[in-house]
Amino acid sequence: MTTADPAVADLLARGELTVRGRIRDASNAALYCAVALDGREAACVYKPVAGERPLWDFPDGNLARREVAAYRVSEATGWGLVPPTVLRDGPYGEGMCQLWIEVAAEADAPDLLALVDAEEPEPGWKAIGFAEVGEGRTALLVHADDERLRRLAVLDAVINNADRKGGHLLPTADGRLHGIDHGVTFHVEDKLRTLLWGWAGEPLTGEALDILKALRGALEPDGHLTASLADLLTPAEVDATRARVEALLTSGRHPEPGGEWPAIPWPPV
C-alpha cells in the first residue's frame, strides 16, 4: 500500500488498534500502534483527545480534529504532504490516527536544515535568521531551497500552522517529504510560526497559484472542502481559511512574518 491508496484510510479508520509503545518526546500523548484489518496491517500513530494538554489560545480537546483537517486540505492540494490521518475511537477514546512514516536512513536523507558560519546562504539554501549557538556566537540558520519544502510552506500558510519545526519534516527513501504534527493549526488569528521563511515575500510559483485557485473553489460555501471540514472546524475557522487562500492569491507572494507573534517556533527542531 502507498500513502495515496484509499485502502490506507479505511485501514486506519476501521482496523483494530494495538498499542505497541509511547512516543516520549511528543508534547501530547502519542502512541505507536499497529492497526490490522482483513489481513492488512500497518504501523500508525494514535493521539487520543484525552491526552491533549490544554493550550491558552486553542479550545480544549480538538487538536486531533485539526490534524485531520490539515490532512484533508493537503489532499485537496494534490501534493500529498500530510500522511493519511483519520478521526476514530481507540483504546483511550476518540483520537487522531495517522499512518506511520518510515524516515530515510540518515546517510540517504537530504539535508533540509543547517547552521552555517556565514552572513549569507550558499546557492541552494535559503536564510531563516541568526541563532545563538553559545558563548556569544551566532550562526545563520538556513533551509534547503527545495520545491517540496516550498509546497509545505504554502500549505502551512493556508492552514495557519503555528508550529512548523524541523522535527516535523519527514523525508522518505522514495524521495517524498511529509509534514506531521498539525494540532495547532486553523486559528482565526494569524499564528504562522515556521522554519520555512526562506521564500518570505517572494512570488508564489505558478503551480502554487493554480493550487490556491482550486482551493478557493473548494472552499466556497457549497464547496466540497468546506463540507469536508465542517465536522472538524468551526464555521469561523473555515471562513478564515478561505480568507487566507484569497489573501495569498491577491498578493501572489509568500507571506512574511507579521510581527505580532513569534515567527519561529521554539525549540526550532
Side-chain angles (χ1 to χ4, degrees):
M1 293 183 295
T2 66
T3 56
D5 187 343
V8 174
D10 182 59
L11 172 60
L12 293 172
R14 299 196 300 119
E16 181 179 357
L17 277 178
T18 302
V19 177
R20 301 296 192 195
R22 181 170 183 174
I23 303 171
R24 298 215 173 260
D25 59 353
S27 56
N28 297 290
L31 304 175
Y32 177 74
C33 300
V35 59
L37 178 69
D38 298 334
R40 296 173 292 149
E41 186 171 335
C44 62
V45 176
Y46 162 55
K47 297 181 181 180
V49 171
E52 295 179 3
R53 295 181 180 179
L55 299 172
W56 69 269
D57 53 345
F58 281 81
D60 293 344
N62 66 9
L63 302 187
R65 281 178 161 77
R66 295 174 192 277
E67 295 240 31
V68 178
Y71 167 66
R72 293 184 184 177
V73 174
S74 170
E75 287 300 283
T77 67
W79 284 332
L81 294 168
V82 179
T85 312
V86 302
L87 191 70
R88 60 162 293 168
D89 284 330
Y92 300 101
E94 184 181 74
M96 176 277 274
C97 186
Q98 183 176 82
L99 184 69
W100 178 266
I101 298 298
E102 287 293 341
V103 180
E106 186 173 351
D108 301 323
D111 291 328
L112 299 175
L113 297 165
L115 280 168
V116 296
D117 187 13
E119 295 293 322
E120 298 290 338
E122 295 183 356
W125 294 88
K126 306 291 282 187
I128 303 169
F130 288 95
E132 293 186 7
V133 293
E135 299 180 355
R137 295 176 56 248
T138 60
L140 183 64
L141 182 60
V142 297
H143 66 68
D145 188 1
D146 185 305
E147 68 171 9
R148 299 168 302 172
L149 288 180
R150 192 164 190 172
R151 289 171 176 172
L152 197 57
V154 174
L155 176 66
D156 283 344
V158 170
I159 67 176
N160 198 15
N161 192 352
D163 196 33
R164 175 60 70 205
K165 297 176 180 176
H168 300 167
L169 306 173
L170 304 183
T172 59
D174 62 0
R176 296 189 62 187
L177 179 70
H178 296 273
I180 61 168
D181 284 354
H182 297 106
V184 286
T185 50
F186 296 102
H187 203 287
V188 295
E189 299 175 6
D190 178 18
K191 294 205 179 263
L192 184 60
R193 292 197 305 172
T194 176
L195 286 178
L196 305 181
W197 286 117
W199 298 282
E202 292 188 13
L204 294 162
T205 65
E207 177 195 46
L209 291 170
D210 288 342
I211 293 294
L212 290 167
K213 290 173 184 175
L215 284 180
R216 177 169 59 187
L219 284 166
E220 289 292 329
D222 59 350
H224 68 86
L225 187 53
T226 297
S228 178
L229 297 176
D231 62 335
L232 302 171
L233 304 174
T234 67
E237 289 166 343
V238 176
D239 289 345
T241 304
R242 184 185 304 117
R244 288 191 296 270
V245 169
E246 191 62 44
L248 288 167
L249 284 168
T250 299
S251 71
R253 296 180 177 275
H254 286 270
E256 298 181 79
E260 297 181 3
W261 183 254
I264 296 176
W266 188 263
V269 177

